[in-house]
């Protein structure tokens, strides 16, 4: 293991890169989650004229490599006069990818709830939005949590692609230090430890959320 003197000059940059990764992960999850839920609800409960275009859009994004999506946002939008900072461009690209994948996970959970319940609510005169909020989503939520949190962890790992569009994130700083010192395994191990810590928090949140929902619905039963 190299001496600390080898790592020390790059440590501040690694910490700074980790903080950028945390911010990128936070904004990606924060923005992608409501977009994904809206897409899933429209595709499952909305009118066909709205569901069909969303289905085509989601599948188009899912079939493209994530790096291509980032390149389209970062290099493509300026061709139309829209210039974004690297962090903003990376966030938008990751949100697009995350929302597409998350919407499929959420749609599967929503589809598992019997459709007859919404019909029954409509027959009782309940507004559709109220029925979705009070009947559909409470039943779909426990089914959403495991795939949603798994997808969140995948999205956090996917933020490493932001380094390809000039974002000085954790991967970018670890790669830069590796290329200068010719000791890639050291800095990649450090970067891996940072990613493990960040995703470990998400895994813990998943366990706590599943436990809370399990106790809640057991008590309600």
């Amino acid at each position: 293991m190299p001496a600390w003197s080898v790592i020390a000059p790059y440590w501040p940059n690694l910490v700074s890169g980790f903080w950028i990764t945390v911010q990128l992960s936070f904004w990606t999850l924060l923005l992608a989650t409501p977009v994904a839920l809206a897409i899933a609800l429209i595709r499952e409960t909305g009118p066909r004229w709205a569901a069909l275009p969303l289905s085509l859009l989601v599948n188009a994004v899912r079939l493209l490599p994530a790096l291509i999506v980032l390149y389209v946002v970062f290099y493509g939008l300026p061709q139309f006069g829209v210039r974004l900072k690297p962090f903003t461009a990376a966030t938008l690209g990751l949100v697009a990818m995350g929302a597409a994948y998350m919407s499929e996970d959420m749609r599967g959970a929503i589809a598992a709830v019997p459709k007859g319940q919404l019909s029954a609510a409509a027959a009782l005169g309940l507004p559709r939005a109220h029925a979705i909020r009070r009947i559909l989503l409470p039943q779909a939520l426990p089914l959403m949590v495991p795939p949603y949190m798994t997808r969140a962890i995948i999205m956090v790992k996917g933020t490493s692609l932001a380094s390809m569009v000039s974002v000085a994130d954790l991967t970018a700083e670890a790669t830069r230090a590796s290329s200068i010192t010719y000791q890639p395994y050291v800095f990649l191990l450090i970067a891996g430890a940072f990613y493990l810590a960040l995703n470990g928090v998400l895994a813990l949140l998943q366990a706590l959320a599943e436990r809370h929902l399990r106790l809640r619905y057991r008590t309600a039963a």
Side-chain angles (χ1 to χ4, degrees):
M1 183 72 179
W4 170 250
S5 59
V6 176
I7 302 173
Y10 305 98
W11 183 253
N13 290 337
L14 290 171
V15 173
S16 175
F18 174 66
W19 176 237
I20 291 176
T21 294
V22 171
Q23 294 179 71
L24 190 58
S25 301
F26 172 79
W27 286 111
T28 299
L29 294 175
L30 182 68
L31 297 174
T33 299
V35 173
L37 182 59
I39 292 173
L41 286 172
I42 292 172
R43 290 185 64 190
E44 279 299 306
T45 66
R48 184 173 178 79
W49 61 264
L52 183 58
L54 283 176
S55 176
L56 294 175
L57 180 61
V58 165
N59 283 290
V61 174
R62 288 196 309 134
L63 294 175
L64 288 172
L67 189 56
I68 296 297
V69 175
L70 289 179
Y71 280 164
V72 167
V73 176
F74 187 67
Y75 295 110
L77 290 183
Q79 304 301 317
F80 300 95
V82 180
R83 298 186 180 278
L84 302 173
K85 293 182 178 180
F87 184 90
T88 304
T91 301
L92 289 180
L94 292 169
V95 166
M97 290 296 301
Y101 282 104
M102 278 184 170
S103 68
E104 286 295 285
D105 298 331
M106 294 177 177
R107 191 170 69 87
I110 292 171
V113 179
K115 295 291 188 297
Q117 297 191 26
L118 288 182
S119 300
L124 292 172
L126 292 177
R128 190 167 186 81
H130 181 81
I132 290 173
R133 183 168 57 89
R134 303 289 296 189
I135 297 175
L136 179 63
L137 289 180
Q139 296 182 75
L141 182 60
L143 303 176
M144 286 184 191
V145 169
Y148 171 82
M149 295 304 298
T150 299
R151 185 67 60 188
I153 291 173
I154 293 173
M155 288 169 62
V156 169
K157 294 188 293 184
T159 60
S160 60
L161 291 174
S163 62
M164 304 300 293
V165 291
S166 304
V167 177
D169 70 331
L170 177 59
T171 298
E173 294 297 345
T175 302
R176 188 176 71 88
S178 299
S179 64
I180 294 173
T181 62
Y182 297 101
Q183 299 192 55
Y185 69 95
V186 175
F187 293 99
L188 292 180
L189 281 176
I190 293 173
F194 276 123
Y195 279 113
L196 279 174
L198 182 55
N199 283 319
V201 172
L202 292 178
L204 177 60
L205 290 176
Q206 176 181 351
L208 293 174
E210 290 180 353
R211 181 175 180 273
H212 171 74
L213 290 171
R214 186 166 56 248
L215 293 175
R216 177 180 178 181
Y217 284 93
R218 182 186 300 170
T219 303

